[in-house]
Amino acid sequence: MSVWPAWEVREDEGSTSWFNVRLEFADGARIDALAVVGEAGVSVEDVRAQPALSLDDLAVLADWIEDPLFEACGLPAGPADDAEGYPASRRARPAWPRGIEGRWLIAEEYRAAQGEGVDPVLAVMSATGHSRRKSLRLISQARDAGFLTPRHARR
């Protein structure tokens, strides 16, 4: 992995730094990213990958590059990694209960979003961290369990 500074903005006592990051893999795959390191941690502003990243890989990209970015800034690295190389304190998506409890919570998120006038599928995606397809499947399971009304009335 290569990390090099792009630019830095200093304000009062703090600063925000942008870095170009390149990850190259043995199979020829490559990821180029523009990452920001500030007081709040690491965020990724732009990503270009060949081949394209899956949503799960994109979700953990900041975790993959966090320690090398902190080192480039002269900051202490984050918590120790687990056996698979992922940071111990973070997950790719939030923990979400399975089974009937998970279906109930999906229905709650869905109905709350409807009540607020926002897209309920996006609300479920945001709450679970899953893709649109997986979220639609979870919503369908909540319907099948009777927690949501049927999508279409049969004639």
Side-chain angles (χ1 to χ4, degrees):
M1 181 163 88
S2 304
V3 177
W4 62 97
W7 65 89
E8 180 177 25
V9 175
R10 294 182 186 268
E11 185 175 346
D12 298 323
E13 295 179 17
S15 69
T16 302
S17 301
W18 283 259
F19 290 88
N20 291 307
V21 179
R22 175 170 286 162
L23 289 90
E24 294 182 283
F25 300 91
D27 64 356
R30 188 172 87 191
I31 301 171
D32 290 312
L34 180 62
V36 181
V37 178
E39 292 178 16
V42 173
S43 62
V44 179
E45 286 200 356
D46 186 41
V47 176
R48 293 173 192 232
Q50 189 63 22
L53 294 174
S54 71
L55 289 175
D56 288 337
D57 289 342
L58 187 58
V60 296
L61 178 62
D63 292 334
W64 292 347
I65 64 176
E66 183 175 53
D67 287 345
L69 283 171
F70 283 164
E71 289 173 17
C73 291
L75 299 171
D81 293 346
D82 67 12
E84 296 178 19
Y86 294 105
S89 66
R90 295 196 179 145
R91 295 173 48 115
R93 63 176 62 100
W96 194 263
R98 296 178 179 260
I100 201 75
E101 182 184 0
R103 291 181 186 119
W104 172 256
L105 292 172
I106 293 291
E108 289 292 307
E109 287 289 333
Y110 189 94
R111 284 192 298 269
Q114 279 183 321
E116 294 171 6
V118 297
D119 185 348
V121 177
L122 289 177
V124 170
M125 289 171 61
S126 177
T128 63
H130 288 295
S131 68
R132 184 172 188 83
R133 175 181 254 172
K134 176 69 175 176
S135 295
L136 287 169
R137 192 173 312 131
L138 293 171
I139 291 166
S140 175
Q141 291 171 356
R143 284 186 200 289
D144 292 346
F147 297 132
L148 293 170
T149 58
R151 181 164 167 81
H152 300 289
R154 296 178 191 228
R155 295 180 185 204

